[in-house]
């Protein structure tokens, strides 16, 4: 497949106001910072609290980002919902805006689904969107969705929709599964969900990564992704792993939002939509101590929501 999508993409965390409505000013500032740091925008992903957002909220946020000059060609919004029609609406909206593609969860309420059922779902979505520019990136995150995307399903979808089905994000955390994908589908854009796999995955043809911690460590992860075959890569991988492991020790969304809040000086960044909640005070202190010990910083992060 030509023109493969490559690089590092952040599942952009979504800031909220005290009334729990999205805070677009902070959102725009964070998206601009990520782009300036060399990262793309996989907004409306797991760490974006996407499934706590309505379809209308997602579309309005994307509309406003584009209106404010965000390059849709570096955007990979999440569009997968339980209903075919919601997924179609979000996917068509993103495609019309010129987004690089859409990151599509499988329908995640019903479990023990057959590959036939999942193929029918994705097929219905692609056919109903009906746009030649649609590029679907499957989203394999079985620990959350409970609905794995098998190698056999990927093969069927690529065969039936070779232009539309362009890649996958593998959030299984299973190196064996990722390696099998890379070996079976060399022309597919395959993104591991952790930068800790980059040194092993890039030589096998991975396209980059879509990782939660790109929200806070974008430049370092981007440097590793582009320079995986340089002499410095071993040290860069170690440094990225240290930061990744620190954040993995806490509820990820709460930890990311607290870090952004701390380094920007903006308290409202910590707000999450229920049922999610912020870190306890002792955990915040513990996280900061670990980050300080690792000499972590977020240079250029906008303060006060100003980009």
């Amino acid at each position: 497949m030509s023109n493969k999508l490559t690089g590092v993409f952040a599942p952009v965390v979504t800031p909220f106001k005290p009334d729990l409505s999205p805070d677009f000013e902070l959102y725009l500032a964070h998206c601009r910072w990520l782009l300036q740091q060399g990262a793309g925008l996989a907004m409306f992903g797991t760490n974006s609290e996407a499934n706590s957002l309505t379809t209308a909220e997602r579309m309005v946020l994307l509309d406003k980002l584009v209106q404010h000059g965000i390059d849709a060609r570096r955007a990979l919004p999440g569009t997968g919902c339980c209903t075919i029609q919601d997924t179609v609406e979000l996917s068509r909206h993103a495609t019309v805006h010129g987004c690089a593609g859409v990151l599509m969860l499988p329908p995640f309420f019903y479990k023990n689904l057959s590959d036939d059922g999942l193929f029918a779902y994705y097929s219905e979505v692609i056919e109903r969107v009906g746009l030649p520019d649609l590029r679907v990136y499957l989203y394999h995150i079985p620990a959350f969705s409970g609905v794995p995307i098998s190698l056999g399903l990927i093969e069927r979808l690529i065969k039936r929709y070779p232009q539309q089905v362009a890649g996958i994000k593998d959030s299984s955390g299973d190196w064996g599964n990722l390696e099998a994908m890379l070996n079976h589908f060399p022309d597919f854009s395959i993104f591991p969900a952790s930068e800790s796999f980059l040194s092993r995955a890039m030589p096998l043809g991975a396209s980059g990564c879509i990782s939660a911690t790109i929200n806070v460590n974008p430049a370092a992860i981007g440097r590793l992704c582009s320079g995986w075959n340089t002499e410095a890569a071993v040290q860069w991988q170690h440094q990225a792993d240290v930061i990744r492991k620190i954040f993995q020790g806490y509820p990820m969304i709460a930890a990311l939002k607290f870090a952004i809040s701390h380094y920007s000086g903006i308290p409202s960044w910590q707000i999450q939509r229920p049922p999610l909640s912020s870190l306890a005070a002792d955990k915040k202190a513990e996280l900061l101590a670990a980050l300080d010990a690792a000499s972590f910083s977020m240079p250029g992060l906008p303060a006060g929501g100003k980009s």
Side-chain angles (χ1 to χ4, degrees):
M1 183 177 292
S2 61
N3 300 317
K4 285 176 68 174
L5 188 65
T6 60
V8 300
F9 289 78
V12 186
V13 285
T14 307
F16 296 106
K17 298 177 181 179
D19 67 358
L20 300 182
S21 63
D23 188 327
F24 181 73
E25 184 179 12
L26 291 186
Y27 191 61
L28 176 63
H30 191 56
C31 287
R32 284 177 170 165
W33 179 74
L34 288 167
L35 289 169
Q36 289 162 3
Q37 298 289 312
L41 310 174
M43 65 277 284
F44 317 137
T46 300
N47 290 281
S48 312
E49 299 174 71
N51 290 298
S52 297
L53 296 169
T54 67
T55 55
E57 285 174 326
R58 296 195 213 186
M59 289 190 289
V60 167
L61 285 171
L62 181 56
D63 286 342
K64 293 174 75 172
L65 286 176
V66 172
Q67 289 164 9
H68 283 77
I70 295 297
D71 186 357
R73 294 172 298 178
R74 291 295 291 160
L76 190 65
T79 63
C81 302
C82 285
T83 72
I84 289 172
Q85 195 52 43
D86 284 347
T87 305
V88 167
E89 186 175 16
L90 289 170
S91 299
R92 181 182 292 126
H93 178 261
T95 304
V96 168
H97 267 308
C99 290
V102 297
L103 190 59
M104 196 177 294
L105 277 169
F108 47 83
F109 180 78
Y110 299 108
K111 303 302 187 284
N112 300 314
L113 298 175
S114 67
D115 278 3
D116 287 344
L118 289 171
F119 179 86
Y121 172 89
Y122 281 115
S123 179
E124 283 290 340
V125 169
I126 293 166
E127 298 286 353
R128 292 185 188 206
V129 171
L131 296 174
D133 292 338
L134 173 67
R135 296 293 180 270
V136 174
Y137 292 79
L138 306 169
Y139 188 2
H140 176 62
I141 183 168
F144 277 71
S145 69
V147 181
I149 296 174
S150 70
L151 299 181
L153 175 60
I154 296 169
E155 186 171 12
R156 288 177 64 182
L157 287 168
I158 293 173
K159 184 176 181 179
R160 177 65 181 86
Y161 301 102
Q163 295 303 313
Q164 284 74 31
V165 180
I168 190 166
K169 176 185 179 184
D170 180 15
S171 293
S172 68
D174 177 353
W175 169 251
N177 186 74
L178 177 60
E179 185 178 33
M181 286 183 180
L182 290 164
N183 288 333
H184 279 80
F185 309 111
D187 297 323
F188 214 38
S189 291
I190 299 174
F191 294 88
S194 170
E195 60 273 23
S196 294
F197 285 135
L198 278 174
S199 291
R200 284 186 284 173
M202 295 302 289
L204 298 182
S207 291
C209 74
I210 303 171
S211 166
T213 36
I214 294 169
N215 272 289
V216 293
N217 200 26
I221 298 171
R223 178 181 62 183
L224 172 61
C225 182
S226 61
W228 61 269
N229 56 350
T230 65
E231 290 184 5
V234 172
Q235 181 63 21
W236 292 345
Q237 182 70 73
H238 172 72
Q239 291 169 345
D241 288 348
V242 167
I243 301 304
R244 175 80 188 189
K245 288 174 182 175
I246 291 171
F247 279 96
Q248 281 186 167
Y250 302 88
M252 184 63 81
I253 300 171
L256 295 172
K257 284 192 157 185
F258 174 67
I260 296 169
S261 173
H262 174 76
Y263 291 103
S264 69
I266 303 171
S268 64
W269 256 114
Q270 297 182 56
I271 298 172
Q272 296 175 261
R273 277 190 174 172
L276 300 181
S277 55
S278 300
L279 295 179
D282 62 328
K283 295 300 182 183
K284 292 177 184 178
E286 185 180 283
L287 173 58
L288 279 184
L291 292 173
D292 286 345
S295 300
F296 177 77
S297 64
M298 296 180 68
L301 187 70
K306 303 301 182 184
S307 57

